[in-house]
Amino acid sequence: MEAVKAHMTIDCNEVSQKDLNKIIADSAKQGIKEVLIKNPQAKHNLGVGITDPIHIVYEGDVGYYACSLSDHISAVVHGTAGWAIGENLMNGEIVVEGNAASSTAASMRGGTVVVKGSSGARTGIGLKGGTLIVGGNVGYMTGFMMQKGRMIICGNAGKALGDSMYAGTIYVAGDIAELGNGAEIVELPAEEYEEIRSTMEGYGMKAPASFKKIVCNGMLHNFNKKEFGVWKTVL
Amino acid sequence: MENSTIRKSKVWSPEKIDEIQEKAELGRYRIRGQATKRQDLPSFDDLVFTPAGLSRVALEGYREKCDTQVVIGAGRVKRPLVLETPIMVAGMSFGAINSNAKKALGIAATRCGISTCTGDGGMHPVEREASEKLVYQLLPSRYGLNPYDLKRADAVEIVVSQGAKPGTGGTLLGQKVSEEVANMRDLPLGVDQRSPCRHPDWMGPDDLGVKIDQVRIATNYEVPVFIKIGAGRVYDDTKLAAKAGADAIVIDGMEGGTAASPEIQLDHTGIPTIAAVVEAAEALHEIGMKDEIKLIIGGGISNGADAAKAIALGADVVYIGTAMLVALNCNKSLYVEDYEALGTVPSACHHCHTGKCPVGIATQDPALMARLNPEEAADRVENYINSITMEMQIFARSCGKSKVTDLDPTDLRSLTMSATMITGVPIVGMGTTRKPYWANYDHSTEMTEMALR
């Protein structure tokens, strides 16, 4: 009986996107440990819907929705990522060595997504669990309607940070252009900083000297006519 | 006594006065369930069928078959959705309604060979078990969304907006965010849940095409993908949805239902279903995709006449939500004291938002839920679906059609000028564009001649 290969290589110049996803999914099912994707050329929907454990290495840029709707996977992107990398990730680990576009880890439910560069608007939007680390800056509406999980942002954050968040925690080392409705800055306990530092170290990243901790202030949890000033902007 | 007559103002009607005073108390707009209560909307009642006579031969009801089956996604996906009758249970979330109601709808739909739909809030295991054919909604909130449920779905519906409240997100007031609902949606217990109006990871029709491709990959190209849009700019939206790659387009008219929505929006946004179906059908026809992409129409459909007329105007399938709840027992004259406690009466209740549904449908309260027996309720819904199917067949047969979906606009006449303007269906008395023979008479001349004689 032929032994299952531990590694395989797929060249995007040689297979269609449809076939590529099928090969990755089948490989994961067969127990192949790692797949190297050559020439991804920022194509959309690479590595979508994979629910068996596999490590995917992208040797270049990826387009929309890379590694999305997946579970148990790990991936490294040696390049930049398009919109919504890691969208709805259930569990696993994704590392982007460059920048990521908008909606990074949108509605992620678990696992860890690391962007070593910056990430665009709506980063971590509707986050439902897991950890998102961004080495650089994040854009407008980051953490909008966040529900659970945590975001660690080493650079600056754009306007409407954490707007309408239900729960979860955002840590920002740099400047915050504007806090969103229902978000507030609270004191960062030393043990939490230590946990952030340790988590980042695991990805070869050095944590900034301090972070602001942003949480939901609960004012938008239940309507209160006495807080019209807050509610008029969200209802 | 002078001025003793009590005169109610049309401008300052009792309803308007109530509304103002309620807002003065609440400090916000009114929120309620059900649908618009406007009385002045054009509707399918403005059309009638013109059955066969000598110009067409009717089908014999007892002997000649009238096919009702519709297939969505044929030739486009590996596992098309086969509906035994052109009816689907519209999306209603677990949260808005409870698992007993979901179970009843699932059992009934399965017996009738049609689908149910998850609505927002994820796929409840009871619903999946009860429904042989289940449409999985993918909404801006992404509550409960996961790749495993996606793979277990029989179709995926990407919801852009809802007919009752197009352009806004969902609302589920805290009294209905029970522990189970909160867990499924990853929300804190008892919050007034507001969900976003835009999807988190795509913005426009070009992105939507990439999103559909993603969903197809995640579901192994097996099941059809729908796009649901609240009826507004239907003509353009339908074309864009088709271009994005949908297998079916759902257009939800302004009569569509909701479990909770700003009341002012129910009455003042969107366009009526009768107009929406015409615009959508015309858009698909114009781009040559009327046969390939199925058109599903929802919003206030309550009987076989509504359904058959929607089909005659271009729909392939009708979505029915509120009427299914009514078949479950919604607004039935039971537990009348509980309706009164809500300030309403059976047949006028729209208090789904309160979580205190007297008949145990739109509630997560275990004591109220116990009032809905899923098996008995399933029988009622099954009967209702079968009744509508038979009603549709009556119209099709009487118009000489052996297939319900063969009904077309030539089978209809309009009763009102506005319905004629909206649908292009000739008004009664004007069979086609021809005029009566006396229309060309010179009436003034005749009158003059008669007077001079």
Side-chain angles (χ1 to χ4, degrees):
Chain A
M1 200 174 118
E2 196 182 341
V4 174
K5 284 194 295 185
H7 305 274
M8 69 179 302
T9 301
I10 310 171
D11 190 332
C12 288
N13 285 331
E14 292 168 7
V15 295
S16 67
Q17 170 234 49
K18 184 176 177 179
D19 290 342
L20 179 132
N21 278 297
K22 186 166 182 348
I23 294 168
I24 297 173
D26 290 347
S27 302
K29 271 196 179 66
Q30 290 162 16
I32 289 174
K33 301 271 185 251
E34 183 177 311
V35 58
L36 173 67
I37 311 292
K38 293 174 84 75
N39 300 308
Q41 300 167 92
K43 287 183 176 170
H44 301 320
N45 288 316
L46 300 180
V48 168
I50 312 297
T51 50
D52 293 295
I54 193 164
H55 182 63
I56 309 167
V57 178
Y58 295 93
E59 218 177 58
D61 303 333
V62 294
Y64 276 48
Y65 303 123
C67 313
S68 60
L69 289 166
S70 294
D71 198 5
H72 304 305
I73 61 153
S74 63
V76 178
V77 178
H78 292 291
T80 61
W83 277 37
I85 187 168
E87 181 254 325
N88 218 100
L89 181 73
M90 301 296 289
N91 214 334
E93 185 183 280
I94 300 166
V95 177
V96 180
E97 295 290 350
N99 298 321
S102 297
S103 304
T104 298
S107 282
M108 178 170 73
R109 298 173 70 96
T112 304
V113 172
V114 179
V115 177
K116 294 198 172 173
S118 292
S119 181
R122 301 178 299 282
T123 295
I125 183 170
L127 202 76
K128 293 170 175 61
T131 298
L132 171 59
I133 303 171
V134 179
N137 304 324
V138 292
Y140 175 60
M141 284 181 100
T142 286
F144 175 67
M145 286 203 177
M146 179 180 183
Q147 296 172 230
K148 280 181 183 170
R150 63 174 178 166
M151 259 187 277
I152 300 165
I153 296 153
C154 300
N156 304 324
K159 287 185 175 178
L161 179 74
D163 193 279
S164 297
M165 63 192 291
Y166 286 101
T169 312
I170 307 173
Y171 303 96
V172 179
D175 296 332
I176 297 169
E178 173 202 76
L179 270 183
N181 293 293
E184 70 176 13
I185 298 173
V186 296
E187 194 182 336
L188 175 70
E191 59 271 24
E192 275 185 47
Y193 177 81
E194 182 49 31
E195 201 188 333
I196 293 168
R197 191 199 61 73
S198 161
T199 304
M200 289 187 65
E201 199 174 69
Y203 293 98
M205 298 170 80
K206 189 173 184 310
S210 67
F211 284 94
K212 292 178 265 300
K213 179 180 176 181
I214 295 100
V215 296
C216 170
N217 63 16
M219 286 178 78
L220 299 179
H221 274 183
N222 294 97
F223 177 77
N224 184 341
K225 61 190 170 191
K226 291 179 183 161
E227 291 159 355
F228 178 67
V230 175
W231 280 89
K232 74 175 181 181
T233 56
V234 296
L235 272 180
Chain B
M1 195 166 73
E2 202 178 344
N3 293 329
S4 62
T5 309
I6 296 172
R7 292 184 65 201
K8 289 176 185 168
S9 164
K10 188 177 177 190
V11 178
W12 302 108
S13 63
E15 291 79 15
K16 225 167 229 183
I17 289 168
D18 277 354
E19 183 186 338
I20 292 166
Q21 290 175 346
E22 193 174 333
K23 285 177 195 169
E25 179 62 32
L26 285 171
R28 62 161 165 77
Y29 44 69
R30 282 168 153 182
I31 291 174
R32 68 166 175 83
Q34 214 193 46
T36 179
K37 297 203 176 190
R38 286 183 72 138
Q39 309 273 325
D40 57 349
L41 298 178
S43 77
F44 291 114
D45 288 344
D46 299 335
L47 301 173
V48 289
F49 281 103
T50 47
L54 290 176
S55 57
R56 284 184 189 177
V57 179
L59 295 192
E60 189 57 70
Y62 294 101
R63 292 191 175 274
E64 293 175 322
K65 283 188 179 174
C66 181
D67 185 18
T68 55
Q69 192 183 73
V70 176
V71 183
I72 300 175
R76 293 172 67 97
V77 295
K78 294 178 187 171
R79 195 154 53 89
L81 185 66
V82 180
L83 304 167
E84 295 306 329
T85 186
I87 300 167
M88 301 168 82
V89 179
M92 291 173 279
S93 76
F94 171 70
I97 59 175
N98 57 51
S99 54
N100 281 351
K102 286 277 185 190
K103 184 177 179 179
L105 293 173
I107 293 170
T110 300
R111 288 180 193 158
C112 297
I114 65 168
S115 62
T116 58
C117 179
T118 59
D120 202 353
M123 184 186 285
H124 196 284
V126 165
E127 182 175 34
R128 177 63 279 188
E129 195 184 333
S131 306
E132 188 192 352
K133 297 165 189 177
L134 180 58
V135 179
Y136 189 38
Q137 279 195 344
L138 196 157
L139 299 103
S141 70
R142 306 291 164 85
Y143 294 140
L145 180 73
N146 69 71
Y148 301 103
D149 287 343
L150 206 53
K151 290 173 200 290
R152 296 195 304 147
D154 300 295
V156 178
E157 182 171 285
I158 298 174
V159 179
V160 177
S161 55
Q162 188 178 338
K165 46 185 173 183
T168 61
T171 306
L172 190 70
L173 297 182
Q175 50 267 40
K176 290 175 86 171
V177 182
S178 66
E179 197 172 346
E180 191 180 12
V181 172
N183 285 339
M184 274 184 69
R185 299 185 184 212
D186 294 298
L187 287 169
L189 183 70
V191 295
D192 289 336
Q193 171 242 290
R194 297 165 295 116
S195 57
C197 60
R198 292 200 306 246
H199 279 259
D201 53 354
W202 61 270
M203 281 286 175
D206 290 336
D207 298 348
L208 176 55
V210 184
K211 183 73 192 174
I212 288 176
D213 200 22
Q214 180 213 31
V215 172
R216 291 202 193 282
I217 294 165
T219 54
N220 195 26
Y221 301 86
E222 287 196 0
V223 298
V225 179
F226 309 169
I227 297 175
K228 177 179 178 177
I229 308 169
R233 300 157 192 265
V234 177
Y235 179 76
D236 291 336
D237 286 345
T238 303
K239 284 188 173 179
L240 292 170
K243 181 177 179 286
D247 300 310
I249 298 169
V250 182
I251 301 292
D252 196 15
M254 73 178 288
E255 300 94 322
T258 176
S261 177
E263 185 177 55
I264 201 152
Q265 198 175 19
L266 295 175
D267 289 340
H268 298 282
T269 54
I271 67 169
T273 307
I274 188 175
V277 63
V278 174
E279 284 196 39
E282 171 58 18
L284 287 176
H285 175 77
E286 194 174 298
I287 58 174
M289 303 199 80
K290 183 68 191 76
D291 293 329
E292 190 176 343
I293 297 175
K294 297 301 178 196
L295 178 59
I296 304 168
I297 290 292
I301 305 281
S302 67
N303 59 32
D306 292 343
K309 289 170 190 174
I311 287 168
L313 291 175
D316 295 285
V317 181
V318 293
Y319 246 166
I320 303 183
T322 305
M324 294 289 178
L325 301 187
V326 173
L328 283 178
N329 259 357
C330 165
N331 266 295
K332 189 153 187 164
S333 188
L334 300 167
Y335 312 104
V336 175
E337 65 284 1
D338 288 351
Y339 285 98
E340 286 166 357
L342 289 168
T344 187
V345 292
S347 81
C349 183
H350 55 238
H351 291 64
C352 325
H353 61 294
T354 65
K356 294 177 180 171
C357 176
V359 290
I361 298 167
T363 178
Q364 303 297 325
D365 179 337
L368 293 173
M369 278 175 67
R371 295 177 177 181
L372 185 74
N373 179 316
E375 280 74 24
E376 290 173 10
D379 289 344
R380 293 194 291 275
V381 175
E382 182 189 3
N383 290 338
Y384 171 64
I385 295 168
N386 289 339
S387 302
I388 304 175
T389 302
M390 287 190 275
E391 288 175 343
M392 283 192 287
Q393 287 175 308
I394 287 174
F395 294 117
R397 283 197 180 103
S398 68
C399 291
K401 305 289 170 77
S402 60
K403 220 178 159 188
V404 165
T405 49
D406 281 347
L407 286 166
D408 65 51
T410 66
D411 295 314
L412 297 169
R413 290 293 181 272
S414 159
L415 296 173
T416 65
M417 279 305 293
S418 63
T420 293
M421 296 293 287
I422 290 166
T423 63
V425 168
I427 197 161
V428 287
M430 306 294 282
T432 59
T433 53
R434 68 176 172 269
K435 294 173 181 171
Y437 64 89
W438 59 82
N440 293 326
Y441 281 14
D442 186 344
H443 297 272
S444 61
T445 306
E446 278 183 10
M447 292 283 286
T448 310
E449 285 173 0
M450 283 167 66
L452 291 173
R453 264 182 221 143

